[in-house]
Amino acid sequence: MKKILTLTCTFAIALGLWGCGQKKAEEPAAKTESAAKPAAAEKKPVTMGFIFIGPIGDGGWTYEHNKGREFVEKELGIKTIYKESVPEGPEVKEIMRSMIDQGCNIIAATSFGYMDYVEELSNEFPDVKFLHCSGYKTTKNMANYFGRMYEPRYLSGIVAGMKTKTDKIGYVAAFEIPEVIRGINAFTLGVQSVKPDAEVIVRWTHTWYDPAKEKAAAEALLDEGCDVIAQHQDTAGPQQAAEERGVWAIGYNSDMSKMAPKSNMTSPVWAWGPYLVDQVKAVQDGTWKTSSFWGGMKDQTVKLAPFTALAPEGAADKVAAVQKQIEDGSFTIFKGPIKDQSGTVRVPADKAMTDGEMLSMDWFVDGVVGKTKSE
């Protein structure tokens, strides 16, 4: 989920409103479902528009979403158009209207803050299908989608835990929202699975794309003795800070190994292409229907980038074994007993958190050094 820039949005999600919009969403399905495919139906012509929050060259969130757009074009041969750096305000409605005037009958809006405007346009244009990333609302012709990024986050935590010598790992965090908190917690549990006494120290930047500020936050963590840096923002600033100090880093959004070749070990990354292709095919076949999608590694929505030569010895085998367990369902990341920072058991033994509980997570697990705004 991206760009939840206000405390209002944070508070709403913290209250579990992912499933409480104007139309209450059901627990997100691992895979979307389509109605029975009509026999011998001709494919409907499709033009797809993409609305991006940042530039396609940001090397992060928008970069990966644009790769999804290119994947759709390559796989299905349809026409796509896109608009970069669209603010999360009412002006996005005019962008969508312009795309519809240009023939778009599917529009993907790729940031949380577009949600209410997408909902409004979906009611105004019932023949257009809208896909909204990271929100919780649906209408008859508006679906939402997101990914279980906490899965590769956990795996990257294993890598960080195996690498650290100081048992202090820095995490440059974006905003105090459930998506980010959930990622920090999953990462920390991964760290602790191989290094129980290690700490994950959090530094908030309240940015998604500010290379200088995010690099400075990483430098502050390095000054505190951290020897591995992880991050949630779109830029490679934290990676570069780690490289300049001669220590290690875990990237995010996209494979950041080329941005910090002397520091990066791997990165949790997005892969939107398969989901988007499925949606376009359903529209072409006339079988599309609204849905909430929260795909994981088994759905190929999220994954871990290939390890660099800097990853610790044995990490590849360890991570591969855990990934297999996550994908076949024999291992659940947020399954108790799990304690919070005060030592209180938040998840009892043998109980797994529900999707709703994970989507509204507003507390840190034991082992995280830092505060959430709800504390």
Side-chain angles (χ1 to χ4, degrees):
M1 175 169 60
K2 293 293 296 181
K3 321 307 173 190
I4 308 178
L5 298 179
T6 68
L7 291 177
T8 300
C9 294
T10 302
F11 183 63
I13 292 182
L15 289 176
L17 291 183
W18 193 92
C20 300
Q22 292 184 0
K23 177 180 179 181
K24 186 175 181 180
E26 298 178 352
E27 292 282 310
K31 285 187 177 294
T32 54
E33 298 177 355
S34 296
K37 181 179 178 180
E42 292 186 5
K43 289 184 178 180
K44 295 182 179 180
V46 166
T47 299
M48 188 169 186
F50 287 81
I51 298 174
F52 296 140
I53 187 69
I56 60 174
D58 69 356
W61 176 262
T62 297
Y63 173 78
E64 285 298 331
H65 245 112
N66 189 55
K67 285 176 62 178
R69 180 190 67 82
E70 293 173 337
F71 185 81
V72 169
E73 283 193 342
K74 179 181 178 181
E75 292 295 312
L76 302 177
I78 69 166
K79 177 184 177 182
T80 70
I81 61 176
Y82 64 89
K83 182 71 174 179
E84 302 172 85
S85 302
V86 178
E88 294 175 303
E91 53 265 59
V92 70
K93 293 190 292 185
E94 295 310 310
I95 301 297
M96 288 190 281
R97 287 194 177 96
S98 174
M99 288 182 168
I100 293 168
D101 287 343
Q102 295 176 66
C104 290
N105 50 359
I106 308 177
I107 292 178
T110 64
S111 193
F112 181 89
Y114 301 142
M115 180 172 64
D116 290 345
Y117 308 109
V118 173
E119 180 189 35
E120 181 180 337
L121 267 288
S122 74
N123 292 322
E124 183 177 338
F125 297 96
D127 294 331
V128 177
K129 303 296 187 291
F130 294 85
L131 308 176
H132 177 245
C133 186
S134 75
Y136 54 84
K137 291 184 177 180
T138 61
T139 67
K140 289 183 178 179
N141 56 320
M142 171 187 173
N144 61 56
Y145 66 100
F146 199 36
R148 297 177 186 269
M149 180 53 78
Y150 65 88
E151 294 179 346
R153 286 278 191 201
Y154 181 92
L155 300 179
S156 68
I158 293 174
V159 178
M162 295 178 71
K163 191 70 174 182
T164 183
K165 302 299 183 186
T166 65
D167 285 358
K168 291 185 176 180
I169 298 170
Y171 201 110
V172 185
F175 292 90
E176 297 93 332
I177 59 175
E179 173 201 351
V180 180
I181 293 170
R182 185 171 61 248
I184 293 169
N185 284 341
F187 178 82
T188 302
L189 292 175
V191 169
Q192 294 176 335
S193 72
V194 295
K195 192 67 69 73
D197 295 329
E199 294 179 324
V200 175
I201 304 173
V202 174
R203 183 64 63 99
W204 300 103
T205 64
H206 302 119
T207 62
W208 295 113
Y209 189 87
D210 188 331
K213 189 171 184 179
E214 292 149 14
K215 183 179 180 182
E219 290 171 341
L221 290 165
L222 294 166
D223 289 342
E224 294 182 38
C226 296
D227 60 353
V228 180
I229 294 293
Q231 66 174 88
H232 196 103
Q233 295 83 350
D234 298 350
T235 79
Q239 306 290 298
Q240 291 158 355
E243 185 168 80
E244 290 176 6
R245 297 287 186 92
V247 295
W248 323 114
I250 302 289
Y252 175 54
N253 277 321
S254 62
D255 184 347
M256 291 186 166
S257 59
K258 293 183 179 178
M259 303 173 191
K262 297 180 181 178
S263 179
N264 180 272
M265 298 185 289
T266 185
S267 307
V269 300
W270 299 99
W272 299 114
Y275 168 79
L276 295 170
V277 165
D278 285 348
Q279 295 300 296
V280 174
K281 284 182 176 178
V283 172
Q284 290 176 319
D285 294 343
T287 61
W288 188 94
K289 66 178 184 179
T290 190
S291 62
S292 294
F293 175 81
W294 200 22
M297 290 192 295
K298 68 179 181 181
D299 306 299
Q300 304 179 55
T301 307
V302 293
K303 59 185 179 181
L304 202 59
F307 291 158
T308 71
L310 302 174
E313 184 178 356
D317 290 341
K318 174 66 176 176
V319 165
V322 178
Q323 180 173 340
K324 182 177 183 299
Q325 292 177 318
I326 293 173
E327 293 180 352
D328 68 20
S330 60
F331 175 70
T332 301
I333 294 170
F334 290 113
K335 184 176 181 179
I338 299 176
K339 296 180 180 178
D340 65 16
Q341 291 171 301
S342 70
T344 301
V345 175
R346 288 294 192 113
V347 186
D350 298 326
K351 180 183 177 183
M353 296 184 73
T354 66
D355 282 353
E357 289 170 336
M358 287 190 285
L359 287 162
S360 60
M361 187 176 284
D362 61 354
W363 50 274
F364 278 144
V365 300
D366 185 30
V368 177
V369 179
K371 294 183 178 181
T372 67
K373 284 190 173 180
S374 63
E375 296 174 324

